[in-house]
């Protein structure tokens, strides 16, 4: 824009050069004044690009104050934070039961290192991007954290990133912070030339004749949780003149991590327990157990059994749990899964058979090195199964969901080109024991329920189906088994029962796909 004005002005001056007398002198004076004005505008624009705002004595003073802010002294309020934090030291105190006393001293370091490595894996899986600290930097003109401030119940936390960016020289600068319902506001240090009112209340006010001193004081604002809740969200309002920002603070109780010590070697039988549910198919389940013992002779197997009459399956590495007759498919799954003490479990139908292509190490390797919760493979002669199952809201917020259910996947798992993200898979899968237990198997599903576990796992478990892992399928039936699974009258009633459960329990009006 300014280059165009400059060109037009030069063209005008050229025309003026052809005039005579006082008229020409007057026009030249006006043109010269205009050139000076445009030059000033151009210079101001250039400085605006480089400095970020119009250059003026006010700006220089403000920036100088900001630059020296870090040199302003402050006085810590003794052990303010320490007095409000709870810490423990397991090497002190006579009443403590010290867990590592149960570990031989020569083994302690090795176990401690393994535990630390497992803790890091746990954190990588569990830490949410929602807890990433984000600072909104001088946008309104307030700087403040937009997310990532987390505090335990009844504890304090500094609110980082608080700052006022104002280029105008004022006689007084004043901010106010207001908490809502779960805590109060305080400061961890005092700064000279700053008046602070409302310590330990829900309304904290600060004022100063120096913006630099005020911003220094803002570095020590503390939020103190006063209302116990294991998972709540507080909103702190940060007000300056007509500007207001809202700072979310997560109040969350600390939870112990769930770690598994798989030993120094970390062998597959220390990581994985095979689980299955059997009913009236002892020939099939015995074949499965023999095949497991052939390829993984030290792997523990848990069998839940609601058959009648009962045949004993207990052996050195097989734990046989007997249930009341015809207790049910998901009830048996819950029983079997509840007995797993390894980090991973391998779910198997009772008519599967291990082969030389049943490489459990591949499945465990995917889980070890990803944030996936469940990994499946290929069964029998079937192709790899991947499904896109999604909940689609109804027309109104209170309407039930449609469950979209169709073949397909959500792309490859990063770093694992043979694995594809899915929301349903075959019943040959390995998963994190605690994550699968957290979803569970609704025990009312007494017979078949091929989709219901995966429906309840939506949004809770990360799943992938992988090539390169295969198990045989020795599909068997017998008249007594078929009577319970496929009986004509029971078929209609049981199917209706599942639909009623989906309708109410899962708020699903229909399946679509």
């Amino acid at each position: 824009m300014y280059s165009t004005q400059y060109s037009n002005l030069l063209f005008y001056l050229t025309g003026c050069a052809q005039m005579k007398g006082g008229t020409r002198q007057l026009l030249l004076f006006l043109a010269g004044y205009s050139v000076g004005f445009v030059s000033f505008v151009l210079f101001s624009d250039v400085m605006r690009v480089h400095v970020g705002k119009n250059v003026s004595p006010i700006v220089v003073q403000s920036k100088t104050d900001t630059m020296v802010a870090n040199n302003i002294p402050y006085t810590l309020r003794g052990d303010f934070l320490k007095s409000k934090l709870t810490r423990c030291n397991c090497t002190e105190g006579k009443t403590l039961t010290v867990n590592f006393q149960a570990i031989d001293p020569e083994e302690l370091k090795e176990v401690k290192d393994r535990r630390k490595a497992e803790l890091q894996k746990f954190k990588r899986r569990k830490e949410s991007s929602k807890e990433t600290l984000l600072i909104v930097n001088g946008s309104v003109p307030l700087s403040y954290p937009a997310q990532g401030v987390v505090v335990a119940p009844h504890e304090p936390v500094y609110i980082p990133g608080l700052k006022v960016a104002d280029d105008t020289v004022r006689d007084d600068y004043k901010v106010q912070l207001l908490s809502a319902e779960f805590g109060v506001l305080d400061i961890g240090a005092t700064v000279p030339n700053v008046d602070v009112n409302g310590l330990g209340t829900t309304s904290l006010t600060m004022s100063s004749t120096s913006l630099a001193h005020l911003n220094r004081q803002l570095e020590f604002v503390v939020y103190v949780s006063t209302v116990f809740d294991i998972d709540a969200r507080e909103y702190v309002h940060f007000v300056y003149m007509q500007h207001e920002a809202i700072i979310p603070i997560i109040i969350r109780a600390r939870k112990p991590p769930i770690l598994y010590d798989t030993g120094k070697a970390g062998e597959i039988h220390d990581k994985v327990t095979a689980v299955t549910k059997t009913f009236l198919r002892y020939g099939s389940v015995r074949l499965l157990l023999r095949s497991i013992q052939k390829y993984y002779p030290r792997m523990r197997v848990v069998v839940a059994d609601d058959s009648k009459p009962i045949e004993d399956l207990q052996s050195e590495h097989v734990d046989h749990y007997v249930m009341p007759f015809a207790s049910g498919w998901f009830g048996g799954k819950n029983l079997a899964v509840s007995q797993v003490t390894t980090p991973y479990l391998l779910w198997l139908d009772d008519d599967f058979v291990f082969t030389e292509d049943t490489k459990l190490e591949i499945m465990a390797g995917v889980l070890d090195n990803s944030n996936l919760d469940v990994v499946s493979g290929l069964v029998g002669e079937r192709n790899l199964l991947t499904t896109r199952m999604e909940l689609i809201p109804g027309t109104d917020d209170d309407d039930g969901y449609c469950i979209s259910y169709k073949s397909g996947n959500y792309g490859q798992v990063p770093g694992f080109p043979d694995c594809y993200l899915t929301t349903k898979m075959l019943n040959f899968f390995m998963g994190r024991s605690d994550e699968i237990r957290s979803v569970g198997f609704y025990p009312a599903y007494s017979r078949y329920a091929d989709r219901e576990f995966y429906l309840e796992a939506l949004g809770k478990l990360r799943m992938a189906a992988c090539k390169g892992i295969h198990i045989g399928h020795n599909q068997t039936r017998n008249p007594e088994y078929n009577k319970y699974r496929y009986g004509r009258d029971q078929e209609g009633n049981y199917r209706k029962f599942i639909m009623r459960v989906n309708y109410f329990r899962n708020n699903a009006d229909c399946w679509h796909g």
Side-chain angles (χ1 to χ4, degrees):
M1 178 182 70
Y2 296 125
S3 60
T4 303
Q5 291 175 348
Y6 225 130
S7 300
N8 292 339
L9 189 57
L10 290 174
F11 175 79
Y12 184 72
L13 289 174
T14 303
C16 287
Q18 301 173 2
M19 297 182 182
K20 295 181 181 181
T23 303
R24 182 174 64 182
Q25 291 176 352
L26 176 60
L27 289 175
L28 284 173
F29 170 79
L30 293 174
Y33 179 83
S34 299
V35 169
F37 175 77
V38 172
S39 298
F40 173 76
V41 172
L42 286 171
F43 174 77
S44 299
D45 188 63
V46 170
M47 293 307 294
R48 185 181 298 111
V49 170
H50 287 281
V51 175
K53 295 183 175 69
N54 293 333
V55 175
S56 69
I58 293 176
V59 174
V60 172
Q61 180 182 353
S62 175
K63 290 185 177 298
T64 301
D65 282 353
T66 302
M67 286 188 292
V68 301
N70 290 335
N71 298 323
I72 297 173
Y74 60 90
T75 304
L76 288 174
R77 296 177 61 198
D79 292 330
F80 178 81
L81 286 185
K82 186 177 179 180
S83 66
K84 294 182 178 294
L85 292 172
T86 303
R87 294 286 185 265
C88 72
N89 185 345
C90 291
T91 62
E92 299 176 359
K94 296 181 180 179
T95 61
L96 294 175
T97 301
V98 181
N99 291 333
F100 52 71
Q101 287 179 343
I103 304 172
D104 293 334
E106 48 281 4
E107 188 187 5
L108 180 57
K109 184 181 184 307
E110 174 194 310
V111 174
K112 186 176 180 180
D113 289 344
R114 286 205 308 270
R115 184 177 75 165
K116 186 176 181 179
E118 288 300 309
L119 179 61
Q120 295 308 311
K121 291 181 183 178
F122 179 88
K123 286 183 176 180
R124 284 196 296 270
R125 293 198 311 270
K126 289 295 186 179
E127 287 180 351
S128 169
S129 60
K130 294 179 181 178
E131 296 177 5
T132 302
L133 181 63
L134 296 179
I135 303 294
V136 179
N137 211 5
S139 63
V140 289
L142 302 178
S143 297
Y144 59 95
Q147 68 174 36
V149 182
V150 183
V151 63
H154 288 179
E155 290 191 7
V157 64
Y158 279 114
I159 303 178
L162 296 180
K163 184 179 179 181
V164 175
D166 189 346
D167 293 333
T168 303
V169 171
R170 306 182 189 277
D171 293 333
D172 186 56
Y173 300 89
K174 182 178 179 179
V175 298
Q176 185 179 25
L177 292 108
L178 303 164
S179 59
E181 54 180 324
F182 292 101
V184 297
L185 297 157
D186 217 310
I187 56 174
T190 58
V191 174
N193 301 321
V194 180
D195 292 327
V196 181
N197 294 293
L199 292 176
T201 72
T202 59
S203 177
L204 184 65
T205 303
M206 301 178 182
S207 62
S208 177
T209 57
S210 166
L211 182 59
H213 283 72
L214 180 63
N215 281 332
R216 186 61 162 169
Q217 184 65 75
L218 284 170
E219 295 177 15
F220 301 102
V221 172
V222 173
Y223 173 83
V224 184
S225 165
T226 58
V227 178
F228 182 83
D229 198 309
I230 63 170
D231 192 3
R233 184 169 298 227
E234 173 78 281
Y235 295 97
V236 172
H237 293 248
F238 182 26
V239 181
Y240 174 70
M241 299 179 67
Q242 75 274 24
H243 306 289
E244 181 175 359
I246 299 176
I247 304 163
I249 297 178
I250 297 172
I251 302 167
R252 180 173 297 156
R254 296 186 186 93
K255 296 179 286 188
I258 306 299
L259 309 177
Y260 291 86
D261 186 357
T262 57
K264 185 176 181 179
E267 296 186 50
I268 191 70
H269 59 264
D270 293 320
K271 287 185 175 183
V272 182
T273 300
V275 291
T276 191
K277 158 72 173 61
T278 193
F279 178 68
L280 299 177
R281 294 201 295 190
Y282 282 113
S284 296
V285 74
R286 289 186 187 279
L287 181 60
L288 169 63
L289 295 177
R290 287 196 297 269
S291 70
I292 295 174
Q293 291 164 355
K294 177 180 178 181
Y295 293 100
Y296 295 96
R298 298 173 63 188
M299 180 169 291
R300 179 175 176 244
V301 186
V302 175
V303 181
D305 181 4
D306 57 349
S307 306
K308 189 171 69 175
I310 294 294
E311 296 182 16
D312 187 13
L313 300 174
Q314 188 73 29
S315 67
E316 181 181 3
H317 295 293
V318 177
D319 288 330
H320 183 201
Y321 290 87
V322 177
M323 307 167 63
F325 178 65
S327 296
W329 176 227
F330 272 25
K333 281 189 167 186
N334 277 328
L335 171 59
V337 168
S338 72
Q339 300 306 305
V340 174
T341 58
T342 52
Y344 305 147
L345 65 84
L346 178 73
W347 179 261
L348 305 162
D349 282 354
D350 61 354
D351 59 354
F352 288 169
V353 181
F354 276 42
T355 72
E356 59 184 13
D357 295 322
T358 309
K359 304 294 185 183
L360 303 185
E361 293 81 0
I362 296 177
M363 299 173 106
V366 175
L367 293 174
D368 280 343
N369 296 285
S370 72
N371 65 350
L372 293 171
D373 299 305
V374 184
V375 174
S376 74
L378 294 159
V379 175
E381 303 301 321
R382 300 183 65 173
N383 294 325
L384 191 71
L385 176 66
T386 59
T387 304
R388 295 173 64 106
M389 186 189 299
E390 299 170 341
L391 297 182
I392 302 175
T395 29
D396 296 323
D397 290 340
D398 293 333
D399 282 352
Y401 288 106
C402 296
I403 307 173
S404 176
Y405 179 85
K406 57 188 177 183
S407 178
N409 61 72
Y410 296 92
Q412 293 176 322
V413 177
F416 299 92
D418 290 333
C419 297
Y420 301 87
L421 296 168
T422 182
T423 47
K424 182 184 179 298
M425 52 185 58
L426 294 171
N427 279 334
F428 168 49
F429 62 75
M430 184 182 294
R432 302 185 191 277
S433 304
D434 290 295
E435 299 300 332
I436 292 175
R437 273 193 287 256
S438 71
V439 175
F441 300 89
Y442 187 49
Y445 296 124
S446 60
R447 293 159 57 207
Y448 59 81
D450 294 332
R451 299 179 295 194
E452 278 61 36
F453 167 73
Y454 301 102
L455 173 60
E456 301 210 358
L458 272 179
K460 301 173 185 175
L461 301 182
R462 298 180 179 92
M463 302 185 181
C466 300
K467 300 176 182 177
I469 312 119
H470 184 274
I471 196 166
H473 192 189
N474 181 40
Q475 193 169 17
T476 55
R477 300 283 189 269
N478 62 65
E480 189 69 10
Y481 175 90
N482 290 342
K483 172 184 173 182
Y484 284 91
R485 181 176 175 91
Y486 299 113
R488 186 168 295 176
D489 291 338
Q490 294 183 35
E491 175 73 16
N493 292 336
Y494 183 68
R495 185 173 182 82
K496 181 183 288 187
F497 166 77
I498 289 181
M499 293 171 70
R500 288 176 62 91
V501 173
N502 289 161
Y503 177 81
F504 198 96
R505 177 179 173 84
N506 305 120
N507 193 41
D509 282 353
C510 63
W511 292 80
H512 180 71

